[in-house]
Amino acid sequence: MKILANDGISQSGAQALEKAGFDLISVKVAQDQLENYIKQNNIEGILVRSNTKIKKPLIDACPNLKFIGRGGVGMDNIDVEYARSKGLHVFNTPAASASSVAELTFAHLFSGVRQLYNANRNMPLEGDTMFSELKKSYSGGYELRGRTLGIIGFGRIGRAVAKLALGVGMKVIASDKEVGEATIELEFYNHQSIKIPIKTEPVEELIKHSDFISLHVPAQEKPIIGKAELESMKNGVGIINTARGGVIDEEALLEAIETGKVAFAGLDTFKDEPKPAIKLLMNEKVSLSPHIGAATIEAQERIGMELATEIINKYKP
């Protein structure tokens, strides 16, 4: 079976597939050339990340495809239900990147409360001539301990974020499909663990009670956080989005930052990727990263091995 890893695959995943007898091709084929490449090379399985789109026209044009594997969580770049209706096996790796995304969330959160995003812009420019002035400017930071983190979306990543928050000493509330209580298990280095109940409540209530808000939801048809939601939040709230572009109304967010309603934002995803709005990129109160939530060595290794294991278990020659 020939498999195209169009957005790459970890070395361990590639080795596992090749050892099991699969013909793995790891090249980057442009989106507009993908149909021809799949047909000309008799590709039966394709592995993608977020860059490659597998939509209805491509699925119809490539009847030889047997499966689509998505390295990561969200599958909004794939017409999943249509592919499955055509008999294709569609799968992803929802657990592999949870820790990496959670840690990036806290990187943005720590950066926000200590204004590191802005200090890192200004220190290279003025650190040698205005050190004392900069020290005064960035001396108004505050601690996360004792403050409330509201997590919108309480799947694997949301729960990984909650674990880090509890470790820092924060109060955690979450919003999920069910209102009530959820339980997470904190595991420590010495193999001890403790179960902790987390209060869940609707988004419209969570945003009123949170000092910081972190989003961990799939792509949406319309923003979860818009102007009305921003107005309901505490003054000086911090907002982190490492989920998907478009789940926050970016224009409304910028307006809320300008009025001081939002103290800072941390964004890893953007509505108009790969060309985010320049107003976001230039705003001195926005901590930025280029959609790298799952881009750690450890996560990529886990993703590659999860993809390989799924394929080997189902299609091994």
Side-chain angles (χ1 to χ4, degrees):
M1 175 183 282
K2 283 189 176 182
I3 301 171
L4 172 63
N6 202 51
D7 295 327
I9 186 172
S10 70
Q11 185 176 357
S12 59
Q15 289 175 344
L17 287 170
E18 289 167 351
K19 184 178 179 180
F22 293 92
D23 185 0
L24 180 68
I25 304 171
S26 187
V27 297
K28 177 61 179 176
V29 181
Q31 186 72 46
D32 59 357
Q33 299 173 14
L34 197 54
E35 176 186 329
N36 288 336
Y37 190 92
I38 290 172
K39 290 193 287 190
Q40 290 173 7
N41 291 276
N42 194 31
I43 301 296
E44 295 180 84
I46 184 167
L47 303 177
V48 302
R49 292 292 308 279
S50 58
N51 291 331
T52 302
K53 294 177 173 59
I54 310 294
K55 298 293 187 177
K56 182 178 181 294
L58 182 64
I59 294 167
D60 287 338
C62 301
N64 203 45
L65 278 178
K66 290 182 171 62
F67 70 80
I68 304 166
R70 162 70 162 97
V73 181
M75 293 201 287
D76 42 289
N77 57 319
I78 303 169
D79 280 340
V80 176
E81 295 306 320
Y82 184 75
R84 287 173 175 164
S85 74
K86 291 293 183 178
L88 276 75
H89 178 45
V90 185
F91 57 96
N92 63 348
T93 59
S97 59
S99 293
S100 295
V101 178
E103 290 187 12
L104 181 65
T105 296
F106 262 82
H108 281 293
L109 196 50
F110 279 120
S111 178
V113 294
R114 299 306 294 271
Q115 302 179 67
L116 297 181
Y117 53 88
N118 201 23
N120 282 328
R121 288 168 171 168
N122 289 326
M123 280 294 288
L125 300 174
E126 301 174 331
D128 60 337
T129 59
M130 299 182 64
F131 190 91
S132 296
E133 290 84 351
L134 291 175
K135 180 178 179 180
K136 184 177 181 180
S137 295
Y138 300 126
S139 293
Y142 43 95
E143 297 180 357
L144 295 177
R145 181 174 296 276
R147 295 177 185 269
T148 299
L149 175 64
I151 300 174
I152 299 177
F154 210 51
R156 290 179 176 88
I157 296 174
R159 288 169 186 253
V161 170
K163 292 178 182 181
L164 293 180
L166 291 168
V168 173
M170 302 183 76
K171 177 184 177 182
V172 176
I173 55 177
S175 179
D176 207 28
K177 293 179 180 178
E178 297 182 5
V179 177
E181 278 195 354
T183 301
I184 63 171
E185 185 173 6
L186 283 175
E187 299 173 347
F188 302 96
Y189 72 96
N190 57 1
H191 305 295
Q192 294 187 21
S193 64
I194 183 173
K195 292 184 178 180
I196 300 176
I198 300 296
K199 180 183 178 182
T200 61
E201 54 188 32
V203 170
E204 57 268 24
E205 294 301 319
L206 176 145
I207 59 178
K208 297 176 184 177
H209 306 150
S210 301
D211 299 303
F212 309 101
I213 295 169
S214 187
L215 290 102
H216 302 284
V217 294
Q220 306 288 315
E221 292 184 1
K222 63 179 183 178
I224 291 176
I225 301 297
K227 186 174 182 179
E229 288 76 21
L230 288 162
E231 290 174 350
S232 297
M233 295 177 187
K234 288 184 176 182
N235 292 328
V237 67
I239 301 176
I240 311 294
N241 180 23
T242 55
R244 283 288 182 269
V247 298
I248 297 177
D249 183 327
E250 293 175 350
E251 290 189 7
L253 175 63
L254 285 172
E255 290 177 7
I257 289 173
E258 292 303 318
T259 64
K261 182 71 175 183
V262 173
F264 70 88
L267 303 178
D268 183 53
T269 59
F270 307 86
K271 179 182 177 183
D272 296 322
E273 293 181 28
K275 293 184 178 181
I278 193 68
K279 288 183 178 180
L280 280 176
L281 301 182
M282 297 300 293
N283 193 290
E284 62 181 16
K285 293 185 178 180
V286 180
S287 176
L288 302 159
S289 57
H291 204 155
I292 56 170
T296 63
I297 294 171
E298 295 86 351
Q300 293 309 305
E301 287 298 315
R302 289 191 295 267
I303 286 170
M305 286 306 300
E306 282 195 28
L307 290 171
T309 299
E310 178 75 16
I311 295 165
I312 292 167
N313 288 343
K314 192 171 182 64
Y315 299 102
K316 186 176 179 179

